[in-house]
Amino acid sequence: REVLVFSKTKPDGAFISTSARPLIGPNAQLHGAVSVFRDTTEMRRTRMKLEESEKRFRDLFDANPTPLLCYELESHRIVEANPAAVELYGFSRAQLRDMTICDLLPKSETTWTEEYFNPAEGVSMSKLAEHRHVHKCGESIYVVPRFRRMTVDGRDLVVMAAQDMTKRRQTE
């Protein structure tokens, strides 16, 4: 019937998880209990290290001054954007996550799309060529994109760093 679960940290730092279940006899009488004690210290430490590592990565991604977009290779759906990308493109992070990388590319220019849709696996690609992208307001922005293909949790992703060249281009 009822399961009792509790955890306790021992003075030496070990983490013990306990669960207990009553043994009920034929007349609905309590005959005893079964208790299981499990040392979950290593599992907990591993989970904490993973959480710390993910936080460090998130902090580095978010603090990066270069606009970064991460999108799925097959669907081209944007799965993540850092604050610098939000500022560059004018869309909120949530709006970018509802878009594909194609939504940021001008509909009239399709000659260079292979770089976006099939970058070499694990290789940073850059031809140092400016590409025209589209800001939320519809104006053109110019970037030099660099790509890194990677697999995370079984998903093929592309991280695109977009060096903003718009101001330089406007002063020419």
Side-chain angles (χ1 to χ4, degrees), residues 73-126:
L73 182 61
E74 194 160 317
S75 71
H76 313 131
R77 186 177 66 79
I78 297 170
V79 295
E80 196 53 81
N82 72 349
V86 168
E87 183 178 338
L88 176 65
Y89 290 99
F91 295 97
S92 71
R93 188 176 251 174
Q95 288 172 318
L96 285 166
R97 287 184 191 143
D98 285 338
M99 300 168 71
T100 69
I101 195 67
C102 303
D103 296 324
L104 300 175
L105 307 177
K107 307 297 182 235
S108 60
E109 296 179 29
T110 58
T111 56
W112 39 258
T113 56
E114 184 65 19
E115 281 184 77
Y116 290 85
F117 305 138
N118 196 24
E121 189 164 356
V123 176
S124 179
M125 292 180 48
S126 174

Side-chain angles (χ1 to χ4, degrees), residues 8-163:
K8 181 172 175 88
T9 304
K10 293 173 48 177
D12 66 357
F15 193 78
I16 306 299
S17 177
T18 307
S19 62
R21 168 166 281 183
L23 291 175
I24 306 297
N27 295 331
Q29 291 183 338
L30 180 64
H31 283 283
V34 174
S35 295
V36 176
F37 296 86
R38 218 170 56 192
D39 183 347
T40 56
T41 307
E42 201 54 42
M43 183 172 58
R44 180 168 257 230
R45 284 184 185 145
T46 301
R47 184 173 49 236
M48 288 173 60
K49 285 181 184 176
L50 177 62
E51 288 169 0
E52 290 169 5
S53 175
E54 288 173 346
K55 183 181 180 330
R56 278 193 308 275
F57 175 80
R58 166 60 62 195
D59 290 347
L60 286 170
F61 183 82
D62 284 345
N64 195 320
T66 301
L68 299 173
L69 294 171
C70 181
Y71 59 94
E72 292 178 335
L73 182 61
E74 194 160 317
S75 71
H76 313 131
R77 186 177 66 79
I78 297 170
V79 295
E80 196 53 81
N82 72 349
V86 168
E87 183 178 338
L88 176 65
Y89 290 99
F91 295 97
S92 71
R93 188 176 251 174
Q95 288 172 318
L96 285 166
R97 287 184 191 143
D98 285 338
M99 300 168 71
T100 69
I101 195 67
C102 303
D103 296 324
L104 300 175
L105 307 177
K107 307 297 182 235
S108 60
E109 296 179 29
T110 58
T111 56
W112 39 258
T113 56
E114 184 65 19
E115 281 184 77
Y116 290 85
F117 305 138
N118 196 24
E121 189 164 356
V123 176
S124 179
M125 292 180 48
S126 174
K127 294 182 178 170
L128 296 178
E130 284 184 12
H131 293 208
R132 189 164 63 97
H133 285 192
V134 180
H135 187 274
K136 181 180 181 178
C137 69
E139 291 183 12
S140 293
I141 56 175
Y142 297 89
V143 301
V144 174
R146 289 184 177 83
F147 306 91
R148 165 78 68 187
R149 184 174 171 178
M150 54 197 271
T151 301
V152 177
D153 295 331
R155 293 188 331 179
D156 286 328
L157 302 174
V158 177
V159 175
M160 181 188 79
Q163 182 181 355

